[in-house]
Amino acid sequence: MPASAFADLSLAENHGCTQCHRFTQEASEEPPKGPDLFYAGNKFQKNWLENFLQNPVVVRKAGYTSDPGFLKGTPTVAQPHPSLPEKEAREMTDFLMSLKLSDLPASPVEGEPLTKGEKVRIKILFERNFGCIACHEGVNLAGQPRGGISGPSLANAGNRLTADWVFHWLKTPEKFLPKSRMPLYDLDDETAVKLTQYLMTLKIGRQN
Amino acid sequence: MFVKKSRKFQIILLLLMTLIACGDNAKETAKVKPPTAAPEKTAPAAVVAQPEQNPVPQKTRDVYQWYCTQCHGLKGKGDGINAKHLTVPPRDHTKGEYLETRTDKQLFDAIKLGGLAVGRAPCMPSWGNTLKDETIHSLVRYIRELCECEAL
């Protein structure tokens, strides 16, 4: 890590973020109260982050997976998330965007949009064949979130996540989390790319 | 491989069924082992000659708690946090009346291949890439503990 990153970590410390989040890949003694952020720069769109830190939205309605109240749907960590004033949110966003895994290969996801037919086909995979919707919110025909809540909502994935990171999550989740509650799918690259592209079409609510 | 195994098992079960008459009797004997009993070396239920009578190992319960509870609930009652958001409610694993009508092989396939592949609700994803066959077999046994039932 470059020397300047340490100064930034103290930024997160000073704001109390390290109480709940891990900013490095080192294992913590207790399971963290909130999602890992050591790969935030791979995972999030900058605009979404900056906005989230000022006006947090609830992404995990049942709370984070290691919250003691998670399986009861009554998280012990208060919702919504603590917020930061604009200037601090910007600083924090810059810091978070600098947190990247050094060993992630380039992903094969390209700009080429899904055709209408492909979108329908992948939607069926998402909602039926793979049953993703059992644990994740997608977007229904009326433009409303629809689906399970044990996984993070994907109803706004297209504004929140980067395509590259989604692809890597689908192919190699263990790079980010040693043991997820999500099933492994053993997707071939092409299906993973298409599924990623489909998730990136999901947008709801405010644009960033 | 498992096909063979479970066929053998079905035959044994069939034999047993004719011996002890099914349904209620099977239920009665199953009640000996409360599903939440502490797993550490519980004395085997010696008396009745049913296959795999021992409570499933803690590892299997942990797997259930980690993955299955998201939809099927902490006690398997089909009331997990995802339940009310699904179009088809998750199976209640404590309901003997339904689970009696499913063979162990059917339960195994539903877990391994997912609901859609076995003509059931697509909400049930396939766990075949996540869990070993051995673990899935043990989960079937755990469901049998939860429902206090065997296949008819």
Side-chain angles (χ1 to χ4, degrees), chain A residues 182-200:
Chain A
M182 170 165 153
L184 297 170
Y185 283 91
D186 195 26
L187 304 170
D188 57 59
D189 276 15
E190 197 197 329
T191 311
V193 166
K194 295 269 188 280
L195 195 51
T196 299
Q197 287 179 304
Y198 172 76
L199 295 181
M200 296 307 290

Side-chain angles (χ1 to χ4, degrees), chain A residues 27-45:
Chain A
S28 54
E29 270 167 43
E30 309 240 313
K33 292 185 182 148
D36 286 338
L37 296 175
F38 60 81
Y39 51 87
N42 301 111
K43 177 174 180 179
F44 297 108
Q45 294 182 31

Side-chain angles (χ1 to χ4, degrees), chain A residues 102-132:
Chain A
S102 50
D103 57 348
L104 273 192
S107 95
V109 187
E110 325 145 22
E112 196 69 20
L114 293 177
T115 64
K116 227 175 166 190
E118 277 176 333
K119 197 175 163 189
V120 171
R121 191 166 63 79
I122 306 297
K123 184 180 161 78
I124 293 171
L125 289 184
F126 182 74
E127 297 187 355
R128 279 180 69 79
N129 302 56
F130 294 151
C132 314

Side-chain angles (χ1 to χ4, degrees), chain A residues 113-188:
Chain A
L114 293 177
T115 64
K116 227 175 166 190
E118 277 176 333
K119 197 175 163 189
V120 171
R121 191 166 63 79
I122 306 297
K123 184 180 161 78
I124 293 171
L125 289 184
F126 182 74
E127 297 187 355
R128 279 180 69 79
N129 302 56
F130 294 151
C132 314
I133 202 129
C135 304
H136 293 285
E137 285 179 345
V139 182
N140 71 7
L141 289 175
Q144 294 300 310
R146 164 188 165 218
I149 59 168
S150 71
S153 174
L154 298 176
N156 199 26
N159 287 319
R160 177 169 166 262
L161 304 171
T162 67
D164 282 347
W165 183 82
V166 170
F167 175 86
H168 288 306
W169 171 263
L170 294 176
K171 292 285 287 187
T172 51
E174 70 283 355
K175 284 197 174 152
F176 309 100
L177 195 65
K179 194 175 170 219
S180 169
R181 291 188 194 249
M182 170 165 153
L184 297 170
Y185 283 91
D186 195 26
L187 304 170
D188 57 59

